[in-house]
Amino acid sequence: NDGRKMGQAAVCCVQCCIAPTGVQVSTSWPKDPFKGQVGWDEKVFRGKTIIGMSDEKSAKIGFERFVKRVRLMEIFCSSKVYFPEGKSEIELDMQLAFAVPIDGYIWTSLERVSVLEHKPKDYFLVCISAELENIVDGYYRIVGVREGKTVTITFDKIQTLNGRAIRALSGGKMRYETENAKFAQDTADYLATHLAATGDAGECEGKTDA
């Protein structure tokens, strides 16, 4: 019994003092491996836009223009993305800083380009994942697909909010989900404006990124 108590005390010490928040520590395989999740359930917020171009050549040119803008991280209206010194386009495994305005404050979190794939004129995929120093746990995924003269752009925001304070600032779960669903679609619509031949990016209405 004394040995068991000492083992339990050691586990408790590791759990409280060493393990990151939400990480379970035990002396046997966990009965509920997802028990450690912190906060609300992770949710997928998806926006999707399908654009028909005048012809296939225009679609190919517009597709590569969209890819270029995404590589420059021109993906949001209300947030600002910072590159490492000397860089101006995303690269695989690159760390980025995202500054997001929420309730009068600028919240700056660290993220990383975890997936980057490009088949010129036909397909593009990028995933940007939250790092430990972030107000969310999750990632962004942007997918562009061209088929003939049609381009489909999908923006996914898979996340949950970290910390009770930021969840409180979000205005509650219902408002959080409603605003993020709208933000995802606004972002997809905004990304689609990059297909146009004009030099100016289009406008979007999404103003809440968290």
Side-chain angles (χ1 to χ4, degrees), residues 184-205:
Q185 186 58 53
D186 286 343
T187 301
D189 293 340
Y190 174 67
L191 290 169
T193 67
H194 295 334
L195 297 167
T198 60
D200 297 328
E203 295 183 356
C204 64
E205 298 177 357

Side-chain angles (χ1 to χ4, degrees), residues 3 8 14-15 22 35 40 48 63 77 83 85 87 119 126 141 143 145 153 159 163 173 175 178 182 184 192 209:
Q8 291 174 342
V14 172
Q15 180 89 52
K35 183 180 179 181
W40 298 327
K48 186 174 183 178
F63 187 84
C77 290
F83 291 89
E85 186 175 355
K87 301 291 184 178
K119 181 180 179 182
V126 61
R141 179 172 57 229
V143 181
V145 178
I153 295 173
Q159 69 173 46
K173 189 175 182 180
R175 178 186 169 191
T178 299
K182 182 179 185 301
D209 288 13

Side-chain angles (χ1 to χ4, degrees), residues 40-49 76 135-143 153-162 167 170 172-189 191 208-210:
W40 298 327
D41 290 341
E42 197 165 70
K43 190 173 180 65
V44 179
F45 301 99
R46 170 166 291 182
K48 186 174 183 178
T49 301
F76 301 132
I135 61 174
V136 302
D137 177 17
Y139 57 95
Y140 301 118
R141 179 172 57 229
I142 299 172
V143 181
I153 295 173
T154 305
F155 173 80
D156 289 324
K157 189 180 188 190
I158 300 92
Q159 69 173 46
T160 185
L161 289 179
N162 285 331
R167 289 196 292 274
S170 71
K173 189 175 182 180
M174 183 176 294
R175 178 186 169 191
Y176 159 78
E177 292 184 353
T178 299
E179 290 193 353
N180 275 279
K182 182 179 185 301
F183 172 80
Q185 186 58 53
D186 286 343
T187 301
D189 293 340
L191 290 169
T208 302
D209 288 13

Side-chain angles (χ1 to χ4, degrees), residues 75-80 99-101 106 183 204 206-209:
I75 59 176
F76 301 132
C77 290
S78 55
S79 302
K80 187 170 182 179
V100 182
I106 303 297
F183 172 80
C204 64
K207 295 300 180 184
T208 302
D209 288 13

Side-chain angles (χ1 to χ4, degrees), residues 6-67:
M6 290 180 64
Q8 291 174 342
V11 168
C12 183
C13 181
V14 172
Q15 180 89 52
C16 297
C17 303
I18 300 176
T21 302
V23 175
Q24 297 186 66
V25 178
S26 59
T27 56
S28 59
W29 299 116
K31 295 180 179 179
D32 182 1
F34 298 98
K35 183 180 179 181
Q37 180 171 322
V38 178
W40 298 327
D41 290 341
E42 197 165 70
K43 190 173 180 65
V44 179
F45 301 99
R46 170 166 291 182
K48 186 174 183 178
T49 301
I50 301 174
I51 302 294
M53 307 293 282
S54 59
D55 52 55
E56 188 168 348
K57 180 180 179 180
S58 297
K60 290 179 178 180
I61 294 173
F63 187 84
E64 288 307 300
R65 187 180 297 112
F66 149 76
V67 170

Side-chain angles (χ1 to χ4, degrees), residues 61-98:
I61 294 173
F63 187 84
E64 288 307 300
R65 187 180 297 112
F66 149 76
V67 170
K68 179 66 174 178
R69 291 289 183 87
V70 175
R71 287 184 178 276
L72 294 172
M73 282 287 92
E74 296 178 12
I75 59 176
F76 301 132
C77 290
S78 55
S79 302
K80 187 170 182 179
V81 181
Y82 295 86
F83 291 89
E85 186 175 355
K87 301 291 184 178
S88 59
E89 292 191 20
I90 57 172
E91 301 172 2
L92 185 62
D93 300 326
M94 176 183 282
Q95 187 180 56
L96 302 168
F98 278 62

